[in-house]
C-alpha cells in the first residue's frame, strides 16, 4: 500500500527480543498503575472499536504483571491498532504509545524499563478516506460486487477484502478452483483523501473433480469414506459440492474432525483431487437421561452407542428406560436397538433397522408390545428429509374396567414421513420453523382392523428485542386414525393429551375418550402450545407458557373433550441444551389435579 504513515513505529526483530529475554536478569513484577487512552476524533464507533482492539487495555483487564511483557505488548500496539484504523477507512492516523513519557517504539528491546507506572495511548484519527478509482477483475459472468466498493464510498479495508473474496468465489463457483488475486495496487492520496484500488484476479483453468483421497482414518475403510462423501468425480468443480461432502462425513458421527482440502496442483487431465483428512471419534459412547413428572413419576434412561460397528461408519445403539418411578402405579420398561448404515444406494440415503420392546401400565391399560422397522431416510437438502419403510407391530393389551378386556393386535406397517427443518439452532431455536408430517397405513392381521394413522407437528420461532432477548415460540399438533374401529385399533396408535409433550399443567395422558364403558385414547387429536422465552442473564431464561389439547373418539368425530394448562418455567443453558424446569397449572377442563412439575433437558419444543 502506498501511503504516508504519521504514526511512529519500529519493527522489532524477533531474534533480538529472544536474545534480550535470555540476557536480561529477572525483573521484579509490578503492574503498570495507569493506562490513559485519549482519542482525538469525531467517530464514536471508531473510538469504541479501538478501545476494544487495544492490547494494552486487555493486558490491564487481565492483570498482566511482568514489565517486560507489558513493554512487548506496548510495542505490538502500533500494528494492532493501525489495522483497526484501516478497517474504518482512516489511512493517516497518528498512534503514540508513551511508557512513563517515552515513546515505546523508541525504547530498545535490549534495555526495556524495569518498572512501568503509566502508559498514555494517544490516538488521532486524521481524515476519513473514500474510494477513488476502483478496479477489480476480470470478473466471472454474473458477479455482483457490493455497492460499498465504489468511488465516493468510505474506503474501509474490509470492503476491499470482501469485494476481492466475492470476485474469487464467483470464479470458483463456475469451476475455476485455483482462482486467486494475482496483483494489487492500493494508493492512498492524502489530498484529497482518496484511496485508489486496483486488484487483478487470475481465474485459472476450469477444472473437474478428481479423486477423493482419505487420510487419517484408523478403523474406517477408505472406500466407505469415499462412498459416504459422495464427491461427484468427473463433474465440474464446485465449492458447494466439497462442503456437502464434508457435511455427509460429519453427520455420520464417526469422525470428530473432517477437513476437505483441494490438492495444490491440478492433474494433467484437468481434474483436481480432494484430500479428506479425518480424525475418528471414540468408538463407543454411553449416556443417561432423567425426567420427572409429578403425576407420571420419574423416568430414567441410559444408552450405549457404537459409532463404527463394521468399519463403514455404521451406528449401533442400545437404549433402556424405566418409567413410573415414584408414581404409585406400575413400572414401565423399554428396550430399543437401532442400526444405521449411511450411504446406502446414494450418499444421502441411510438404511435403518430398529427393534423396540416395551411395556405400558396405566390405570386403564396394561400393554406389552414389540415393534420391528426397516426403512430408508433420504436427505434431499440441508433442511428437507424424507423417510419410508415397512414395519411389524405386535401388541397384547388388557384394558377396560378392571382390565378385563384382552386383545392381541398384529399389524403390518408402512410408515412414511417428511421433515422440513428451518430452525437456526436445533437445541435453542430463536428463528425459523420446524415441520414434521407422518402418514402410516397399516394392514391388520388376525382380527385387527386396517386403516391409516396421520400426525403433523408444526413449530415456529420469532425473536425480538436487543440481542434477541425475547423469543416467541408456537407449536401445533394434529393427529388422526382413519377407517379402523376404535376398539380394534392398537392402543399404541391412539392419542392422549396431557403432560410435558402436549398440555403442561394437566396430568400425563389424562385426557382420552370413553366408548362402551372403556376408557382409552382417541382417534382424533389436536394441541396448541405457546411460549414466551425471555433471557434474564447470559445463562438463565424465564418462560411463560400456555397449552391446550383436544381428543375425540373418531377422527374428529363422535364424543370429544378438551383441556388447557398454563404456567412458568426456568431455563439454564448447558453444553447439552437448556436445563428445563416448568410448573404448570390446569386452567380449563375437568382432568386437572393441581400444580404439575416438569424437569428435563431441552426446550419443551
Amino acid at each position: 500500500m502506498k501511503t504516508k504513515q504519521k504514526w511512529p513505529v519500529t519493527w522489532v526483530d524477533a531474534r533480538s527480543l529472544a536474545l534480550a529475554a535470555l540476557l536480561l536478569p529477572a525483573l521484579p513484577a509490578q503492574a503498570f498503575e495507569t493506562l490513559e487512552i485519549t482519542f482525538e476524533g469525531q467517530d464514536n464507533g471508531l473510538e469504541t472499536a479501538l478501545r476494544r482492539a487495544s492490547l494494552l487495555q486487555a493486558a490491564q483487564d487481565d492483570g498482566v504483571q511482568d514489565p517486560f511483557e507489558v513493554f512487548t505488548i506496548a510495542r505490538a500496539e502500533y500494528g494492532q491498532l493501525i489495522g483497526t484504523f484501516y478497517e474504518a477507512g482512516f489511512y493517516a492516523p497518528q498512534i503514540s504509545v508513551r511508557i512513563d513519557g517515552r515513546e515505546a517504539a523508541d525504547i530498545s528491546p535490549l534495555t526495556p524499563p524495569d518498572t512501568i507506572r503509566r502508559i498514555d495511548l494517544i490516538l488521532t484519527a486524521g481524515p476519513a478516506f473514500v474510494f477513488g478509482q476502483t478496479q477489480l477483475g476480470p470478473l466471472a459472468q454474473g458477479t455482483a460486487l457490493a455497492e460499498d466498493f465504489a468511488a465516493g464510498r468510505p474506503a474501509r479495508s474490509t470492503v476491499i477484502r470482501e469485494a476481492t473474496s466475492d470476485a474469487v468465489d464467483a470464479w470458483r463457483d463456475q469451476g475455476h478452483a485455483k482462482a486467486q488475486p494475482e496483483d494489487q495496487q492500493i494508493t492512498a492520496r492524502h489530498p484529497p483523501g482518496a484511496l485508489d484500488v486496483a486488484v487483478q484476479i487470475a481465474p485459472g483453468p476450469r477444472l473437474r473433480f478428481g479423486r477423493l483421497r482419505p487420510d487419517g482414518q484408523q478403523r474406517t475403510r477408505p472406500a466407505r469414506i469415499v462412498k459416504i462423501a459422495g464427491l461427484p468425480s468427473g463433474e465440474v468443480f464446485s465449492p458447494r459440492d466439497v462442503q456437502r461432502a464434508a457435511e455427509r462425513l460429519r453427520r455420520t458421527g464417526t469422525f470428530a474432525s473432517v477437513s476437505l482440502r483441494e490438492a495444490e496442483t491440478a492433474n494433467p487431465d484437468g481434474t483436481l483431487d480432494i484430500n479428506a483428512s479425518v480424525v475418528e471419534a471414540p468408538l463407543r459412547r454411553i449416556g443417561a437421561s432423567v425426567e420427572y413428572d409429578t403425576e407420571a413419576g420419574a423416568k430414567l434412561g441410559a444408552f450405549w452407542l457404537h459409532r463404527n460397528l463394521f468399519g463403514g461408519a455404521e451406528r449401533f445403539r442400545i437404549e433402556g428406560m424405566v418409567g413410573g418411578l415414584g408414581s404409585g402405579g406400575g413400572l414401565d420398561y423399554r428396550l430399543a436397538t437401532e442400526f444405521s448404515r449411511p450411504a446406502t444406494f446414494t450418499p444421502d440415503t441411510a438404511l435403518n433397522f430398529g427393534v423396540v420392546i416395551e411395556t405400558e401400565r396405566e390405570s386403564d391399560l396394561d400393554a406389552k408390545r414389540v415393534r420391528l422397522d426397516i426403512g430408508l431416510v433420504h436427505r434431499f437438502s440441508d433442511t428437507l428429509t424424507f423417510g419410508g419403510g415397512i414395519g411389524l407391530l405386535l401388541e397384547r393389551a388388557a384394558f377396560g374396567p378392571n382390565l378385563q378386556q384382552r386383545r392381541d393386535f398384529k399389524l403390518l406397517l408402512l410408515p412414511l414421513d417428511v421433515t422440513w427443518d428451518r430452525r437456526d439452532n436445533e437445541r435453542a431455536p430463536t428463528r425459523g420453523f420446524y415441520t414434521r408430517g407422518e402418514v402410516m397405513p397399516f394392514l391388520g392381521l388376525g382380527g385387527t382392523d386396517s386403516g391409516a394413522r396421520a400426525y403433523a407437528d408444526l413449530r415456529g420461532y420469532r425473536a425480538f428485542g436487543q440481542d434477541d432477548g425475547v423469543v416467541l415460540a408456537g407449536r401445533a399438533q394434529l393427529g388422526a386414525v382413519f377407517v379402523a374401529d376404535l376398539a380394534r385399533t392398537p392402543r399404541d396408535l391412539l392419542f392422549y393429551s396431557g403432560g410435558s409433550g402436549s398440555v403442561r399443567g394437566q396430568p400425563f395422558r389424562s385426557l382420552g375418550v370413553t366408548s362402551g364403558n372403556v376408557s382409552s385414547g382417541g382417534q382424533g387429536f389436536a394441541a396448541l402450545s405457546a411460549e414466551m422465552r425471555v433471557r434474564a442473564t447470559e445463562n438463565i431464561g424465564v418462560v411463560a407458557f400456555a397449552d391446550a389439547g383436544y381428543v375425540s373418539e373418531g377422527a374428529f368425530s363422535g364424543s370429544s373433550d378438551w383441556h388447557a394448562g398454563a404456567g412458568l418455567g426456568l431455563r439454564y443453558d448447558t453444553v447439552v441444551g437448556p436445563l428445563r424446569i416448568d410448573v404448570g397449572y390446569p386452567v380449563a377442563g375437568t382432568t386437572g389435579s393441581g400444580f404439575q412439575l416438569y424437569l428435563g433437558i431441552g426446550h419443551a419444543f
Side-chain angles (χ1 to χ4, degrees):
M1 177 177 291
K2 301 175 181 178
T3 181
K4 295 180 180 179
Q5 309 294 356
K6 295 185 179 180
W7 46 279
V9 60
T10 301
W11 295 109
V12 181
D13 191 300
R15 290 172 296 180
S16 298
L17 284 176
L19 179 60
L22 291 175
L23 295 177
L24 287 171
L27 297 174
Q30 180 176 344
F32 59 102
E33 299 173 357
T34 303
L35 171 64
E36 185 71 30
I37 301 178
T38 303
F39 175 75
E40 298 177 357
Q42 303 298 321
D43 193 323
N44 293 333
L46 174 59
E47 181 180 1
T48 300
L50 289 167
R51 290 181 179 274
R52 289 177 176 174
S54 171
L55 298 175
L56 287 168
Q57 183 66 68
Q60 187 182 56
D61 294 342
D62 293 340
V64 176
Q65 299 288 319
D66 183 66
F68 182 71
E69 184 177 356
V70 173
F71 168 66
T72 304
I73 293 172
R75 290 175 62 85
E77 189 78 292
Y78 300 105
Q80 172 75 4
L81 296 184
I82 193 66
T84 304
F85 275 113
Y86 286 177
E87 289 177 357
F90 293 83
Y91 292 88
Q94 295 181 26
I95 301 175
S96 176
V97 184
R98 295 186 174 273
I99 300 177
D100 292 327
R102 301 169 62 194
E103 192 66 44
D106 295 337
I107 302 174
S108 171
L110 297 177
T111 58
D114 294 339
T115 60
I116 297 177
R117 300 185 182 280
R118 178 185 178 90
I119 297 180
D120 290 285
L121 179 58
I122 304 171
L123 307 172
T124 304
F129 279 64
V130 297
F131 285 118
Q133 299 179 6
T134 56
Q135 300 177 11
L136 178 62
L139 300 178
Q141 185 176 2
T143 303
L145 298 179
E147 295 180 357
D148 289 340
F149 187 67
R153 304 302 289 267
R156 299 184 176 91
S157 62
T158 53
V159 174
I160 302 174
R161 290 197 298 267
E162 290 169 2
T164 303
S165 178
D166 289 344
V168 170
D169 289 345
W171 280 113
R172 285 172 55 80
D173 288 340
Q174 297 187 18
H176 297 262
K178 295 302 179 181
Q180 61 182 349
E182 188 175 42
D183 184 34
Q184 65 178 15
Q185 294 182 354
I186 302 177
T187 304
R189 293 184 283 117
H190 291 264
L195 191 75
D196 296 334
V197 179
V199 181
Q200 182 76 21
I201 302 296
R206 196 165 189 244
L207 301 174
R208 294 173 288 110
F209 280 117
R211 297 178 301 159
L212 184 77
R213 300 188 298 197
D215 177 60
Q217 70 280 359
Q218 296 180 348
R219 296 175 291 267
T220 311
R221 299 190 303 275
R224 284 294 294 160
I225 295 177
V226 173
K227 177 69 174 178
I228 294 168
L231 195 73
S233 298
E235 296 185 11
V236 174
F237 172 87
S238 167
R240 177 57 184 148
D241 286 335
V242 176
Q243 181 181 354
R244 291 186 65 187
E247 290 170 353
R248 292 187 186 108
L249 291 169
R250 294 188 187 104
R251 278 199 304 267
T252 65
T254 299
F255 307 105
S257 173
V258 175
S259 175
L260 266 60
R261 304 186 312 277
E262 302 155 19
E264 291 294 330
T265 58
N267 299 318
D269 61 355
T271 61
L272 182 67
D273 294 338
I274 304 296
N275 300 315
S277 298
V278 300
V279 177
E280 294 177 342
L283 271 180
R284 299 167 185 85
R285 179 186 175 192
I286 60 174
S289 64
V290 58
E291 294 183 16
Y292 181 75
D293 184 307
T294 49
E295 292 288 336
K299 181 187 295 184
L300 302 180
F303 72 87
W304 177 89
L305 172 69
H306 197 297
R307 291 187 171 98
N308 198 357
L309 192 62
F310 301 126
E314 303 90 353
R315 293 168 63 89
F316 180 68
R317 177 184 173 113
I318 300 177
E319 178 182 349
M321 183 276 294
V322 179
L325 297 169
S327 65
L331 298 180
D332 294 331
Y333 301 93
R334 187 175 190 270
L335 178 65
T337 63
E338 182 181 1
F339 173 83
S340 178
R341 182 181 186 271
T344 301
F345 303 123
T346 78
D348 293 307
T349 305
L351 174 65
N352 297 325
F353 293 93
V355 178
V356 177
I357 303 172
E358 63 182 351
T359 65
E360 184 178 354
R361 291 180 174 88
E362 302 292 338
S363 60
D364 59 351
L365 174 65
D366 188 345
K368 301 177 179 65
R369 64 179 65 96
V370 177
R371 177 166 172 171
L372 297 87
D373 285 281
I374 178 173
L376 297 172
V377 176
H378 182 77
R379 182 180 290 268
F380 286 96
S381 68
D382 293 338
T383 60
L384 185 62
T385 303
F386 176 80
I390 186 171
L392 178 66
L393 175 63
L394 305 176
E395 179 180 283
R396 173 166 292 178
F399 51 92
N402 300 319
L403 304 180
Q404 291 181 352
Q405 295 194 30
R406 299 181 180 273
R407 188 179 296 274
D408 290 340
F409 299 96
K410 301 177 182 179
L411 287 87
L412 184 66
L413 312 174
L414 297 174
L416 302 170
D417 65 81
V418 60
T419 301
W420 191 14
D421 190 349
R422 296 292 300 273
R423 295 173 293 182
D424 60 345
N425 186 297
E426 183 177 348
R427 290 179 176 174
T430 60
R431 287 183 174 83
F433 63 85
Y434 169 93
T435 301
R436 178 177 175 83
E438 303 173 4
V439 176
M440 185 175 67
F442 55 86
L443 176 65
L445 307 172
T448 305
D449 279 5
S450 300
R453 185 182 192 269
Y455 174 75
D457 185 353
L458 299 90
R459 312 174 190 181
Y461 308 88
R462 180 75 180 274
F464 299 91
Q466 184 178 4
D467 298 326
D468 296 338
V470 178
V471 177
L472 297 183
R475 181 185 192 185
Q477 300 177 76
L478 198 65
V481 176
F482 301 98
V483 181
D485 181 76
L486 178 64
R488 286 192 287 272
T489 300
R491 309 293 93 176
D492 189 44
L493 302 187
L494 300 177
F495 297 98
Y496 292 86
S497 181
S500 61
S502 55
V503 179
R504 289 161 289 182
Q506 297 286 351
F508 176 67
R509 295 181 57 161
S510 57
L511 183 64
V513 298
T514 301
S515 177
N517 203 31
V518 174
S519 297
S520 71
Q523 292 187 322
F525 167 72
L528 294 174
S529 298
E531 284 192 352
M532 182 171 67
R533 305 168 182 171
V534 181
R535 187 169 61 247
T537 69
E538 184 176 352
N539 294 320
I540 298 176
V542 180
V543 174
F545 61 85
D547 305 328
Y550 163 93
V551 177
S552 61
E553 181 179 358
F556 307 106
S557 63
S559 62
S560 62
D561 201 357
W562 74 284
H563 61 179
L568 299 173
L570 289 176
R571 305 289 185 268
Y572 181 81
D573 288 338
T574 69
V575 294
V576 295
L579 177 64
R580 173 165 50 96
I581 303 175
D582 285 337
V583 179
Y585 189 78
V587 297
T590 60
T591 58
S593 62
F595 286 101
Q596 306 289 313
L597 174 66
Y598 308 93
L599 303 177
I601 294 179
H603 283 289
F605 58 89

